[in-house]
Amino acid sequence: MLKIYTLADAQQWDAVVRSFPQYDIYYLSGYVKGFWLHGDGEPLLIVWEGPEARGINVVFKRAIRQDSRFADKLQEELYDFISPYGYGGWLLHGNGDFSGLMEEYDRWCRKNRIVSEFVRFHPLLKNHLPVQNTYEVVALGSTVALDLTSPEVVWENMTSKNRNMVRKAQKNGLQICRANGPEIYEVFREIYELTMEKDQAADYYYFGEEYYRSIREDLARNAQVFYARTEEGAVAAAAIIMGANGCLHYHLSGSRREYQGLAPTNLLLYEAACWGSENGYRSFHLGGGIGSKEDSLFAFKKAFYRKEPCGFHIGKRIVDPEAYQMLLELREDQPREGFFPAYRG
């Protein structure tokens, strides 16, 4: 049986999610609410219950007609699904038979005019494995997750060069602080947006005040800003760190160019990892490189954990091939190669 929850059912939504032993922050209503405000679509928690097995999937439902390329060309409304910013995919629990899940899910999607689904599977949960026969699963790259067994383990797993950078930051008098008030989020937003400008990031990665307010209010127990402060009181670097169910996540981050030589982000991540270890977290997921590439960002993160990284996979599923092809034919330009769904590329 399938049941659908919306943000109007936030309390029940989160109770269902927390009943799954492996849940992570990406499945909570407070996490997806910010991205709903950001314009990513309508968040849905899809719950399947079998006799001795259960599953949940968090998606954003996007109206295809809201894409300007299709606004005046569709006679009926069509939709597609995408995982939340970060990670998602089906989370399964139980020892029963899961064979009926995808059959029922597929019927529901067809009935509700869902054309396709794009999934960013969770690297730590490896939840691409049970659904490989349903989705086209593609390995994209690697992400880095620190072992938080103890602060000593965190230190030992860092490269010697990175340990030297942490020592340098400490010698330079940097201090790592934590806060969750509106003032520090304003400081964070300024630093983050300067970093996005330097990196020539797409417009999507600039978040409005309502997004940050949602983090403060809807994830008050799950998110905070770690920031590196100089001896003079300036904020050299800052990051939003989120956590749930034993796993910390490096969410958004930025640093001031004039202080980068002091290695503030090296010290920030090291002390955030130690804080996580001392507060019951088992892992600290830093993510991967830009576009899942093993670039300089990935190399920076990899310096915090010398052992094997986690594999990152995506999933593609065409629910309605006829509608998918029709949307492709409605495009007046050539879709971007490799993009999924291709009609949005």
mmCIF file of all heavy atoms in Angstrom, residues 127-174:
data_model
loop_
_atom_site.group_PDB
_atom_site.id
_atom_site.type_symbol
_atom_site.label_atom_id
_atom_site.label_comp_id
_atom_site.label_asym_id
_atom_site.label_seq_id
_atom_site.Cartn_x
_atom_site.Cartn_y
_atom_site.Cartn_z
ATOM 1 N N ASN A 127 21.939 2.838 -1.134
ATOM 2 C CA ASN A 127 20.569 2.405 -1.418
ATOM 3 C C ASN A 127 20.274 2.262 -2.904
ATOM 4 O O ASN A 127 19.119 2.050 -3.297
ATOM 5 C CB ASN A 127 19.563 3.342 -0.753
ATOM 6 C CG ASN A 127 19.711 4.796 -1.168
ATOM 7 O OD1 ASN A 127 20.789 5.239 -1.556
ATOM 8 N ND2 ASN A 127 18.639 5.558 -1.085
ATOM 9 N N HIS A 128 21.320 2.358 -3.727
ATOM 10 C CA HIS A 128 21.142 2.033 -5.151
ATOM 11 C C HIS A 128 21.094 0.526 -5.373
ATOM 12 O O HIS A 128 20.527 0.058 -6.367
ATOM 13 C CB HIS A 128 22.284 2.628 -5.978
ATOM 14 C CG HIS A 128 23.628 2.055 -5.668
ATOM 15 N ND1 HIS A 128 24.327 2.377 -4.514
ATOM 16 C CD2 HIS A 128 24.409 1.166 -6.339
ATOM 17 C CE1 HIS A 128 25.474 1.724 -4.516
ATOM 18 N NE2 HIS A 128 25.542 0.979 -5.595
ATOM 19 N N LEU A 129 21.682 -0.230 -4.467
ATOM 20 C CA LEU A 129 21.826 -1.673 -4.674
ATOM 21 C C LEU A 129 20.496 -2.420 -4.778
ATOM 22 O O LEU A 129 20.325 -3.244 -5.682
ATOM 23 C CB LEU A 129 22.704 -2.265 -3.571
ATOM 24 C CG LEU A 129 24.161 -1.795 -3.560
ATOM 25 C CD1 LEU A 129 24.898 -2.333 -2.341
ATOM 26 C CD2 LEU A 129 24.870 -2.222 -4.843
ATOM 27 N N PRO A 130 19.514 -2.158 -3.889
ATOM 28 C CA PRO A 130 18.273 -2.943 -3.976
ATOM 29 C C PRO A 130 17.399 -2.613 -5.177
ATOM 30 O O PRO A 130 16.462 -3.362 -5.471
ATOM 31 C CB PRO A 130 17.544 -2.585 -2.667
ATOM 32 C CG PRO A 130 18.554 -1.940 -1.786
ATOM 33 C CD PRO A 130 19.517 -1.282 -2.710
ATOM 34 N N VAL A 131 17.661 -1.496 -5.876
ATOM 35 C CA VAL A 131 16.755 -1.078 -6.953
ATOM 36 C C VAL A 131 17.441 -1.060 -8.314
ATOM 37 O O VAL A 131 16.962 -0.423 -9.255
ATOM 38 C CB VAL A 131 16.142 0.310 -6.638
ATOM 39 C CG1 VAL A 131 15.264 0.249 -5.402
ATOM 40 C CG2 VAL A 131 17.234 1.364 -6.477
ATOM 41 N N GLN A 132 18.545 -1.784 -8.440
ATOM 42 C CA GLN A 132 19.303 -1.759 -9.691
ATOM 43 C C GLN A 132 18.528 -2.329 -10.869
ATOM 44 O O GLN A 132 18.825 -2.009 -12.023
ATOM 45 C CB GLN A 132 20.612 -2.529 -9.515
ATOM 46 C CG GLN A 132 21.605 -1.816 -8.619
ATOM 47 C CD GLN A 132 22.941 -2.518 -8.551
ATOM 48 O OE1 GLN A 132 23.918 -2.114 -9.169
ATOM 49 N NE2 GLN A 132 22.979 -3.605 -7.797
ATOM 50 N N ASN A 133 17.538 -3.167 -10.597
ATOM 51 C CA ASN A 133 16.750 -3.743 -11.684
ATOM 52 C C ASN A 133 15.606 -2.832 -12.121
ATOM 53 O O ASN A 133 14.937 -3.112 -13.120
ATOM 54 C CB ASN A 133 16.184 -5.102 -11.259
ATOM 55 C CG ASN A 133 17.273 -6.142 -11.045
ATOM 56 O OD1 ASN A 133 18.318 -6.080 -11.690
ATOM 57 N ND2 ASN A 133 17.039 -7.071 -10.142
ATOM 58 N N THR A 134 15.387 -1.751 -11.373
ATOM 59 C CA THR A 134 14.280 -0.841 -11.675
ATOM 60 C C THR A 134 14.766 0.470 -12.270
ATOM 61 O O THR A 134 14.143 1.017 -13.184
ATOM 62 C CB THR A 134 13.468 -0.553 -10.398
ATOM 63 O OG1 THR A 134 13.036 -1.797 -9.846
ATOM 64 C CG2 THR A 134 12.259 0.314 -10.703
ATOM 65 N N TYR A 135 15.871 0.978 -11.754
ATOM 66 C CA TYR A 135 16.464 2.220 -12.241
ATOM 67 C C TYR A 135 17.688 1.901 -13.098
ATOM 68 O O TYR A 135 18.357 0.888 -12.874
ATOM 69 C CB TYR A 135 16.908 3.109 -11.082
ATOM 70 C CG TYR A 135 15.785 3.650 -10.237
ATOM 71 C CD1 TYR A 135 15.215 2.883 -9.215
ATOM 72 C CD2 TYR A 135 15.291 4.936 -10.439
ATOM 73 C CE1 TYR A 135 14.196 3.376 -8.426
ATOM 74 C CE2 TYR A 135 14.265 5.446 -9.649
ATOM 75 C CZ TYR A 135 13.723 4.660 -8.649
ATOM 76 O OH TYR A 135 12.700 5.153 -7.871
ATOM 77 N N GLU A 136 17.991 2.774 -14.031
ATOM 78 C CA GLU A 136 19.283 2.727 -14.689
ATOM 79 C C GLU A 136 20.273 3.397 -13.735
ATOM 80 O O GLU A 136 20.260 4.621 -13.582
ATOM 81 C CB GLU A 136 19.253 3.462 -16.023
ATOM 82 C CG GLU A 136 20.608 3.476 -16.732
ATOM 83 C CD GLU A 136 20.653 4.403 -17.930
ATOM 84 O OE1 GLU A 136 19.584 4.894 -18.349
ATOM 85 O OE2 GLU A 136 21.774 4.650 -18.430
ATOM 86 N N VAL A 137 21.088 2.590 -13.090
ATOM 87 C CA VAL A 137 22.008 3.100 -12.073
ATOM 88 C C VAL A 137 23.363 3.380 -12.716
ATOM 89 O O VAL A 137 23.924 2.530 -13.405
ATOM 90 C CB VAL A 137 22.163 2.094 -10.904
ATOM 91 C CG1 VAL A 137 23.219 2.584 -9.908
ATOM 92 C CG2 VAL A 137 20.818 1.904 -10.204
ATOM 93 N N VAL A 138 23.873 4.583 -12.476
ATOM 94 C CA VAL A 138 25.138 5.012 -13.073
ATOM 95 C C VAL A 138 26.086 5.462 -11.973
ATOM 96 O O VAL A 138 25.717 6.288 -11.124
ATOM 97 C CB VAL A 138 24.923 6.175 -14.066
ATOM 98 C CG1 VAL A 138 26.251 6.605 -14.685
ATOM 99 C CG2 VAL A 138 23.917 5.783 -15.138
ATOM 100 N N ALA A 139 27.310 4.907 -11.962
ATOM 101 C CA ALA A 139 28.338 5.345 -11.013
ATOM 102 C C ALA A 139 28.967 6.629 -11.536
ATOM 103 O O ALA A 139 29.455 6.673 -12.666
ATOM 104 C CB ALA A 139 29.391 4.258 -10.848
ATOM 105 N N LEU A 140 28.946 7.696 -10.720
ATOM 106 C CA LEU A 140 29.427 8.989 -11.184
ATOM 107 C C LEU A 140 30.795 9.377 -10.626
ATOM 108 O O LEU A 140 31.519 10.122 -11.242
ATOM 109 C CB LEU A 140 28.436 10.090 -10.819
ATOM 110 C CG LEU A 140 27.284 10.336 -11.771
ATOM 111 C CD1 LEU A 140 26.648 11.682 -11.481
ATOM 112 C CD2 LEU A 140 27.714 10.281 -13.227
ATOM 113 N N GLY A 141 31.122 8.948 -9.443
ATOM 114 C CA GLY A 141 32.373 9.381 -8.834
ATOM 115 C C GLY A 141 32.428 8.947 -7.389
ATOM 116 O O GLY A 141 31.829 7.939 -7.013
ATOM 117 N N SER A 142 33.118 9.722 -6.571
ATOM 118 C CA SER A 142 33.317 9.357 -5.180
ATOM 119 C C SER A 142 33.025 10.533 -4.261
ATOM 120 O O SER A 142 33.098 11.698 -4.666
ATOM 121 C CB SER A 142 34.760 8.887 -4.956
ATOM 122 O OG SER A 142 35.069 7.757 -5.741
ATOM 123 N N THR A 143 32.697 10.206 -3.025
ATOM 124 C CA THR A 143 32.539 11.218 -1.984
ATOM 125 C C THR A 143 33.355 10.780 -0.773
ATOM 126 O O THR A 143 33.743 9.618 -0.652
ATOM 127 C CB THR A 143 31.067 11.398 -1.570
ATOM 128 O OG1 THR A 143 30.602 10.197 -0.941
ATOM 129 C CG2 THR A 143 30.192 11.714 -2.773
ATOM 130 N N VAL A 144 33.589 11.721 0.125
ATOM 131 C CA VAL A 144 34.446 11.473 1.284
ATOM 132 C C VAL A 144 33.611 11.489 2.555
ATOM 133 O O VAL A 144 32.842 12.424 2.789
ATOM 134 C CB VAL A 144 35.559 12.539 1.376
ATOM 135 C CG1 VAL A 144 36.415 12.323 2.626
ATOM 136 C CG2 VAL A 144 36.425 12.518 0.117
ATOM 137 N N ALA A 145 33.760 10.456 3.372
ATOM 138 C CA ALA A 145 33.064 10.377 4.657
ATOM 139 C C ALA A 145 34.062 10.012 5.742
ATOM 140 O O ALA A 145 34.739 8.990 5.650
ATOM 141 C CB ALA A 145 31.937 9.348 4.602
ATOM 142 N N LEU A 146 34.168 10.848 6.767
ATOM 143 C CA LEU A 146 35.130 10.636 7.846
ATOM 144 C C LEU A 146 34.579 9.686 8.899
ATOM 145 O O LEU A 146 33.389 9.716 9.215
ATOM 146 C CB LEU A 146 35.479 11.965 8.525
ATOM 147 C CG LEU A 146 36.475 12.898 7.840
ATOM 148 C CD1 LEU A 146 36.022 13.298 6.445
ATOM 149 C CD2 LEU A 146 36.692 14.146 8.686
ATOM 150 N N ASP A 147 35.450 8.865 9.442
ATOM 151 C CA ASP A 147 35.142 7.987 10.566
ATOM 152 C C ASP A 147 35.294 8.810 11.841
ATOM 153 O O ASP A 147 36.382 9.305 12.150
ATOM 154 C CB ASP A 147 36.109 6.801 10.558
ATOM 155 C CG ASP A 147 35.890 5.852 11.721
ATOM 156 O OD1 ASP A 147 35.032 6.126 12.591
ATOM 157 O OD2 ASP A 147 36.605 4.830 11.786
ATOM 158 N N LEU A 148 34.203 8.935 12.620
ATOM 159 C CA LEU A 148 34.228 9.761 13.823
ATOM 160 C C LEU A 148 34.304 8.924 15.096
ATOM 161 O O LEU A 148 33.847 9.356 16.161
ATOM 162 C CB LEU A 148 32.990 10.666 13.876
ATOM 163 C CG LEU A 148 32.803 11.653 12.719
ATOM 164 C CD1 LEU A 148 31.648 12.597 13.015
ATOM 165 C CD2 LEU A 148 34.070 12.433 12.437
ATOM 166 N N THR A 149 34.925 7.749 15.019
ATOM 167 C CA THR A 149 35.032 6.882 16.196
ATOM 168 C C THR A 149 35.611 7.639 17.386
ATOM 169 O O THR A 149 35.164 7.473 18.528
ATOM 170 C CB THR A 149 35.900 5.655 15.882
ATOM 171 O OG1 THR A 149 35.272 4.901 14.849
ATOM 172 C CG2 THR A 149 36.085 4.784 17.107
ATOM 173 N N SER A 150 36.620 8.473 17.148
ATOM 174 C CA SER A 150 37.224 9.285 18.198
ATOM 175 C C SER A 150 37.990 10.426 17.550
ATOM 176 O O SER A 150 38.348 10.344 16.365
ATOM 177 C CB SER A 150 38.181 8.450 19.056
ATOM 178 O OG SER A 150 39.340 8.103 18.302
ATOM 179 N N PRO A 151 38.271 11.518 18.282
ATOM 180 C CA PRO A 151 39.110 12.584 17.724
ATOM 181 C C PRO A 151 40.476 12.082 17.281
ATOM 182 O O PRO A 151 41.040 12.594 16.299
ATOM 183 C CB PRO A 151 39.221 13.585 18.881
ATOM 184 C CG PRO A 151 37.967 13.377 19.674
ATOM 185 C CD PRO A 151 37.720 11.898 19.591
ATOM 186 N N GLU A 152 40.987 11.067 17.984
ATOM 187 C CA GLU A 152 42.289 10.499 17.607
ATOM 188 C C GLU A 152 42.208 9.817 16.249
ATOM 189 O O GLU A 152 43.122 9.944 15.420
ATOM 190 C CB GLU A 152 42.750 9.502 18.671
ATOM 191 C CG GLU A 152 43.126 10.120 20.016
ATOM 192 C CD GLU A 152 41.917 10.539 20.843
ATOM 193 O OE1 GLU A 152 40.809 9.995 20.597
ATOM 194 O OE2 GLU A 152 42.080 11.411 21.717
ATOM 195 N N VAL A 153 41.114 9.117 15.994
ATOM 196 C CA VAL A 153 40.926 8.462 14.697
ATOM 197 C C VAL A 153 40.788 9.511 13.598
ATOM 198 O O VAL A 153 41.335 9.355 12.496
ATOM 199 C CB VAL A 153 39.698 7.528 14.740
ATOM 200 C CG1 VAL A 153 39.312 7.068 13.337
ATOM 201 C CG2 VAL A 153 39.977 6.329 15.627
ATOM 202 N N VAL A 154 40.072 10.587 13.872
ATOM 203 C CA VAL A 154 39.938 11.675 12.898
ATOM 204 C C VAL A 154 41.316 12.203 12.512
ATOM 205 O O VAL A 154 41.641 12.355 11.327
ATOM 206 C CB VAL A 154 39.069 12.817 13.470
ATOM 207 C CG1 VAL A 154 39.107 14.036 12.540
ATOM 208 C CG2 VAL A 154 37.632 12.365 13.672
ATOM 209 N N TRP A 155 42.163 12.458 13.511
ATOM 210 C CA TRP A 155 43.502 13.012 13.273
ATOM 211 C C TRP A 155 44.381 12.030 12.500
ATOM 212 O O TRP A 155 45.065 12.404 11.546
ATOM 213 C CB TRP A 155 44.130 13.376 14.609
ATOM 214 C CG TRP A 155 45.477 14.032 14.509
ATOM 215 C CD1 TRP A 155 46.703 13.457 14.747
ATOM 216 C CD2 TRP A 155 45.744 15.395 14.151
ATOM 217 N NE1 TRP A 155 47.707 14.371 14.559
ATOM 218 C CE2 TRP A 155 47.155 15.563 14.190
ATOM 219 C CE3 TRP A 155 44.944 16.477 13.796
ATOM 220 C CZ2 TRP A 155 47.758 16.783 13.892
ATOM 221 C CZ3 TRP A 155 45.547 17.690 13.510
ATOM 222 C CH2 TRP A 155 46.943 17.829 13.546
ATOM 223 N N GLU A 156 44.328 10.769 12.875
ATOM 224 C CA GLU A 156 45.179 9.762 12.238
ATOM 225 C C GLU A 156 44.812 9.545 10.777
ATOM 226 O O GLU A 156 45.679 9.215 9.959
ATOM 227 C CB GLU A 156 45.075 8.435 13.004
ATOM 228 C CG GLU A 156 45.725 8.468 14.380
ATOM 229 C CD GLU A 156 45.351 7.270 15.224
ATOM 230 O OE1 GLU A 156 44.613 6.383 14.711
ATOM 231 O OE2 GLU A 156 45.757 7.215 16.399
ATOM 232 N N ASN A 157 43.542 9.724 10.431
ATOM 233 C CA ASN A 157 43.098 9.474 9.063
ATOM 234 C C ASN A 157 43.341 10.651 8.121
ATOM 235 O O ASN A 157 43.120 10.540 6.913
ATOM 236 C CB ASN A 157 41.607 9.112 9.049
ATOM 237 C CG ASN A 157 41.360 7.683 9.484
ATOM 238 O OD1 ASN A 157 42.211 6.816 9.302
ATOM 239 N ND2 ASN A 157 40.203 7.423 10.075
ATOM 240 N N MET A 158 43.803 11.768 8.644
ATOM 241 C CA MET A 158 44.133 12.916 7.799
ATOM 242 C C MET A 158 45.527 12.751 7.217
ATOM 243 O O MET A 158 46.382 12.090 7.786
ATOM 244 C CB MET A 158 44.062 14.213 8.628
ATOM 245 C CG MET A 158 42.652 14.567 9.058
ATOM 246 S SD MET A 158 42.593 15.833 10.367
ATOM 247 C CE MET A 158 43.495 17.178 9.621
ATOM 248 N N THR A 159 45.760 13.362 6.059
ATOM 249 C CA THR A 159 47.109 13.330 5.485
ATOM 250 C C THR A 159 48.030 14.208 6.333
ATOM 251 O O THR A 159 47.586 15.124 7.027
ATOM 252 C CB THR A 159 47.120 13.854 4.042
ATOM 253 O OG1 THR A 159 46.735 15.239 4.050
ATOM 254 C CG2 THR A 159 46.154 13.065 3.166
ATOM 255 N N SER A 160 49.324 13.929 6.270
ATOM 256 C CA SER A 160 50.275 14.709 7.065
ATOM 257 C C SER A 160 50.257 16.180 6.645
ATOM 258 O O SER A 160 50.386 17.083 7.492
ATOM 259 C CB SER A 160 51.679 14.123 6.919
ATOM 260 O OG SER A 160 52.091 14.120 5.562
ATOM 261 N N LYS A 161 50.092 16.433 5.347
ATOM 262 C CA LYS A 161 50.037 17.821 4.869
ATOM 263 C C LYS A 161 48.831 18.542 5.460
ATOM 264 O O LYS A 161 48.925 19.720 5.861
ATOM 265 C CB LYS A 161 49.975 17.848 3.339
ATOM 266 C CG LYS A 161 49.932 19.255 2.763
ATOM 267 C CD LYS A 161 49.894 19.229 1.237
ATOM 268 C CE LYS A 161 49.826 20.657 0.684
ATOM 269 N NZ LYS A 161 49.774 20.660 -0.801
ATOM 270 N N ASN A 162 47.700 17.865 5.537
ATOM 271 C CA ASN A 162 46.502 18.486 6.088
ATOM 272 C C ASN A 162 46.654 18.736 7.583
ATOM 273 O O ASN A 162 46.199 19.770 8.097
ATOM 274 C CB ASN A 162 45.277 17.607 5.805
ATOM 275 C CG ASN A 162 43.971 18.367 5.945
ATOM 276 O OD1 ASN A 162 43.930 19.594 5.922
ATOM 277 N ND2 ASN A 162 42.885 17.635 6.107
ATOM 278 N N ARG A 163 47.290 17.818 8.294
ATOM 279 C CA ARG A 163 47.549 18.038 9.723
ATOM 280 C C ARG A 163 48.417 19.279 9.921
ATOM 281 O O ARG A 163 48.206 20.056 10.852
ATOM 282 C CB ARG A 163 48.195 16.806 10.348
ATOM 283 C CG ARG A 163 47.255 15.610 10.460
ATOM 284 C CD ARG A 163 47.780 14.583 11.447
ATOM 285 N NE ARG A 163 48.978 13.938 10.950
ATOM 286 C CZ ARG A 163 48.995 12.758 10.341
ATOM 287 N NH1 ARG A 163 47.862 12.103 10.120
ATOM 288 N NH2 ARG A 163 50.132 12.215 9.940
ATOM 289 N N ASN A 164 49.377 19.464 9.017
ATOM 290 C CA ASN A 164 50.221 20.655 9.097
ATOM 291 C C ASN A 164 49.411 21.933 8.858
ATOM 292 O O ASN A 164 49.677 22.968 9.478
ATOM 293 C CB ASN A 164 51.366 20.565 8.084
ATOM 294 C CG ASN A 164 52.423 19.554 8.494
ATOM 295 O OD1 ASN A 164 52.573 19.235 9.684
ATOM 296 N ND2 ASN A 164 53.163 19.037 7.516
ATOM 297 N N MET A 165 48.445 21.850 7.953
ATOM 298 C CA MET A 165 47.595 23.011 7.687
ATOM 299 C C MET A 165 46.741 23.345 8.914
ATOM 300 O O MET A 165 46.524 24.522 9.237
ATOM 301 C CB MET A 165 46.697 22.754 6.476
ATOM 302 C CG MET A 165 47.456 22.562 5.171
ATOM 303 S SD MET A 165 48.438 23.999 4.705
ATOM 304 C CE MET A 165 47.174 25.122 4.148
ATOM 305 N N VAL A 166 46.265 22.329 9.611
ATOM 306 C CA VAL A 166 45.492 22.556 10.837
ATOM 307 C C VAL A 166 46.373 23.206 11.895
ATOM 308 O O VAL A 166 45.967 24.165 12.568
ATOM 309 C CB VAL A 166 44.895 21.228 11.345
ATOM 310 C CG1 VAL A 166 44.326 21.399 12.748
ATOM 311 C CG2 VAL A 166 43.813 20.739 10.390
ATOM 312 N N ARG A 167 47.591 22.698 12.042
ATOM 313 C CA ARG A 167 48.529 23.295 13.002
ATOM 314 C C ARG A 167 48.814 24.757 12.640
ATOM 315 O O ARG A 167 48.921 25.627 13.514
ATOM 316 C CB ARG A 167 49.833 22.501 13.026
ATOM 317 C CG ARG A 167 49.708 21.084 13.581
ATOM 318 C CD ARG A 167 51.098 20.473 13.736
ATOM 319 N NE ARG A 167 51.045 19.069 14.123
ATOM 320 C CZ ARG A 167 51.234 18.056 13.295
ATOM 321 N NH1 ARG A 167 51.485 18.283 11.996
ATOM 322 N NH2 ARG A 167 51.174 16.812 13.725
ATOM 323 N N LYS A 168 48.925 25.022 11.336
ATOM 324 C CA LYS A 168 49.185 26.382 10.871
ATOM 325 C C LYS A 168 48.041 27.305 11.275
ATOM 326 O O LYS A 168 48.264 28.431 11.755
ATOM 327 C CB LYS A 168 49.362 26.385 9.351
ATOM 328 C CG LYS A 168 49.547 27.763 8.748
ATOM 329 C CD LYS A 168 49.658 27.688 7.218
ATOM 330 C CE LYS A 168 49.824 29.072 6.607
ATOM 331 N NZ LYS A 168 49.934 29.004 5.121
ATOM 332 N N ALA A 169 46.809 26.840 11.065
ATOM 333 C CA ALA A 169 45.650 27.656 11.418
ATOM 334 C C ALA A 169 45.609 27.924 12.919
ATOM 335 O O ALA A 169 45.296 29.042 13.353
ATOM 336 C CB ALA A 169 44.370 26.955 10.967
ATOM 337 N N GLN A 170 45.928 26.916 13.712
ATOM 338 C CA GLN A 170 45.959 27.095 15.165
ATOM 339 C C GLN A 170 47.043 28.090 15.564
ATOM 340 O O GLN A 170 46.825 28.965 16.415
ATOM 341 C CB GLN A 170 46.180 25.747 15.850
ATOM 342 C CG GLN A 170 45.005 24.793 15.691
ATOM 343 C CD GLN A 170 45.329 23.378 16.139
ATOM 344 O OE1 GLN A 170 46.493 22.947 16.110
ATOM 345 N NE2 GLN A 170 44.314 22.644 16.571
ATOM 346 N N LYS A 171 48.216 27.962 14.949
ATOM 347 C CA LYS A 171 49.323 28.872 15.234
ATOM 348 C C LYS A 171 48.975 30.304 14.848
ATOM 349 O O LYS A 171 49.427 31.264 15.488
ATOM 350 C CB LYS A 171 50.573 28.406 14.484
ATOM 351 C CG LYS A 171 51.833 29.193 14.810
ATOM 352 C CD LYS A 171 53.036 28.626 14.073
ATOM 353 C CE LYS A 171 54.291 29.421 14.414
ATOM 354 N NZ LYS A 171 55.487 28.870 13.692
ATOM 355 N N ASN A 172 48.151 30.464 13.805
ATOM 356 C CA ASN A 172 47.739 31.792 13.359
ATOM 357 C C ASN A 172 46.637 32.390 14.229
ATOM 358 O O ASN A 172 46.138 33.484 13.937
ATOM 359 C CB ASN A 172 47.257 31.732 11.908
ATOM 360 C CG ASN A 172 48.400 31.593 10.921
ATOM 361 O OD1 ASN A 172 49.467 32.175 11.113
ATOM 362 N ND2 ASN A 172 48.186 30.826 9.861
ATOM 363 N N GLY A 173 46.266 31.680 15.267
ATOM 364 C CA GLY A 173 45.320 32.215 16.236
ATOM 365 C C GLY A 173 43.860 32.093 15.868
ATOM 366 O O GLY A 173 42.996 32.730 16.494
ATOM 367 N N LEU A 174 43.522 31.273 14.869
ATOM 368 C CA LEU A 174 42.121 31.092 14.491
ATOM 369 C C LEU A 174 41.378 30.295 15.554
ATOM 370 O O LEU A 174 41.913 29.350 16.138
ATOM 371 C CB LEU A 174 42.019 30.381 13.148
ATOM 372 C CG LEU A 174 42.500 31.156 11.917
ATOM 373 C CD1 LEU A 174 42.355 30.300 10.677
ATOM 374 C CD2 LEU A 174 41.732 32.458 11.743
#
